[in-house]
Amino acid sequence: MSDAAPAWVMPSETAPHDCTWMAWPSQGYTLGDTPDEVAAARRTWAAVANAVTAFEPVRMVVVPADVEVARAHLHPDVEIVTAELDDAWMRDIGPSFVRSADGTRLGAVDWVFNGWGAQAWASWEHDARIGALVGGLAGAEVIGSPLVNEGGGIHVDGLGTVLLTETVQLDPGRNPGLARADVEAELARTIGATHCVWLPRGLTRDYDEFGTRGHVDIVATIPSPGIVLLHEQQDPDHPDHAVSRALRELLEDARDARGERFEVVGVPAPRTVADAEGLVDWSYINHLVVNDGVIACTYGDEHDDRALGVLAEAYPGRRVVGVDARPLFDRGGGIHCITQQQPAL
């Protein structure tokens, strides 16, 4: 990568936020087909938003027809802005916020969004415009990018390190013909990445029909420089047991942008290994860091308290709040997937 100073830098999620952005579920697979599914989606998106409001402002993008129902579910402090949507995964359809190198200007990287690699079930006519829309509403300088990417496909430490997976950015359905060097050059230009740590893959279920093909934000994250939290499937009969072990070996050999090795901290997967659809990819890694807090996935599982304790140790001084994420994972994601932080200047 270039040694030139980056024009833009993506701060760590632990840096102070101005607000968190979300999108309200309004149609399709995310909302569900039955009245019970619709109610569960609305309750869960609202539970996450309302939990975040205890720590920082929330701005919710809502389709005009759903403003009344959204308002009925949301804390009065949640600000509603209207726009048409296809889905409600703000981490992926929204921009990745960055700051100028001197910290005085806010930028918003508007990745190309094509339905997680042009998935047959996905639509993205409206969602493809949300990155630029949210960036503009935030008062940011919108930074266009030709790279097909989603916010759930990257995690940064704020010092130039980025975690990503080969099956996302190098996915033929996203960026056919691009090599690692091409992706790395674009990440250097847009988010100030000076060192990429490529994971070979994500969790097993994420490659099913409604998966993302390997998003890193259910696999690993960087709570502070030099530390990696890693999803650790402890059941040897689950295929992610082998995935976790391989990723640990890779990360323990890897170095960050400073040239230093990582300390890899395992976060135990839930004891539950399957639901009605098959083996689960439920993950405590898919949490959102907010001002003075962490909004974490819970599953009504015996490992919930243990995992939230690991998160509390990883984020000292922050209050960890659990929200039942099973209705989110039923739809293909978690708390991190439906949120996007806007850093403070």
Side-chain angles (χ1 to χ4, degrees), residues 43-113:
R43 282 196 309 269
T44 306
W45 259 257
V48 173
N50 295 341
V52 175
T53 61
F55 300 91
E56 62 189 60
V58 175
R59 303 183 76 181
M60 181 78 71
V61 179
V62 182
V63 300
D66 273 2
V67 168
E68 186 174 339
V69 70
R71 179 49 66 205
H73 283 78
L74 295 169
H75 190 284
D77 288 344
V78 175
E79 178 186 349
I80 289 177
V81 299
T82 58
E84 295 298 333
L85 294 162
D86 297 291
D87 223 316
W89 305 100
M90 182 56 82
R91 179 68 50 177
D92 297 342
I93 66 177
S96 293
F97 285 102
V98 294
R99 293 187 298 218
S100 59
D102 63 4
T104 62
R105 292 181 294 132
L106 181 69
V109 181
D110 180 23
W111 311 110
V112 175
F113 179 73

Side-chain angles (χ1 to χ4, degrees), residues 23-290:
W24 185 252
S26 58
Q27 64 179 336
Y29 183 72
T30 302
L31 189 62
D33 298 320
T34 69
D36 285 348
E37 289 174 343
V38 169
R42 289 171 172 168
R43 282 196 309 269
T44 306
W45 259 257
V48 173
N50 295 341
V52 175
T53 61
F55 300 91
E56 62 189 60
V58 175
R59 303 183 76 181
M60 181 78 71
V61 179
V62 182
V63 300
D66 273 2
V67 168
E68 186 174 339
V69 70
R71 179 49 66 205
H73 283 78
L74 295 169
H75 190 284
D77 288 344
V78 175
E79 178 186 349
I80 289 177
V81 299
T82 58
E84 295 298 333
L85 294 162
D86 297 291
D87 223 316
W89 305 100
M90 182 56 82
R91 179 68 50 177
D92 297 342
I93 66 177
S96 293
F97 285 102
V98 294
R99 293 187 298 218
S100 59
D102 63 4
T104 62
R105 292 181 294 132
L106 181 69
V109 181
D110 180 23
W111 311 110
V112 175
F113 179 73
N114 75 344
W116 302 277
Q119 303 266 29
W121 50 267
S123 61
W124 56 91
E125 174 189 357
H126 304 299
D127 285 353
R129 303 188 182 106
I130 294 299
L133 174 74
V134 166
L137 290 172
E141 179 178 332
V142 177
I143 304 157
S145 175
L147 188 70
V148 179
N149 189 36
E150 303 95 34
I154 54 175
H155 257 314
V156 303
D157 66 357
L159 301 178
T161 310
V162 59
L163 303 179
L164 64 170
T165 48
E166 295 177 5
T167 56
V168 174
Q169 287 80 15
L170 300 181
D171 176 13
R174 288 176 167 97
N175 297 298
L178 289 195
R180 279 192 185 192
D182 302 314
V183 173
E184 292 181 357
E186 182 61 5
L187 293 178
R189 184 184 75 86
T190 52
I191 66 169
T194 59
H195 183 71
C196 294
V197 179
W198 288 90
L199 307 185
R201 56 161 298 148
L203 301 182
T204 301
R205 184 156 169 175
D206 204 17
Y207 295 89
D208 286 356
E209 181 181 5
F210 295 106
T212 70
R213 301 176 187 161
H215 270 189
V216 75
D217 70 351
I218 60 171
V219 180
T221 190
I222 307 174
S224 58
I227 307 290
V228 171
L229 297 180
L230 175 66
H231 179 80
E232 191 169 73
Q233 176 53 253
Q234 298 174 329
D235 189 324
D237 292 330
H238 194 300
D240 286 338
H241 178 71
V243 173
S244 296
R245 291 184 64 181
L247 293 179
R248 174 176 281 276
E249 291 178 5
L250 183 151
L251 287 165
E252 287 179 340
D253 282 341
R255 296 181 183 271
D256 64 15
R258 303 169 301 172
E260 298 185 14
R261 292 190 182 278
F262 293 106
E263 177 188 347
V264 181
V265 177
V267 182
R271 181 69 177 270
T272 306
V273 296
D275 63 9
E277 302 299 322
L279 295 170
V280 298
D281 57 357
W282 294 355
S283 170
Y284 299 106
I285 299 297
N286 199 265
H287 54 270
L288 173 71
V289 182
V290 291

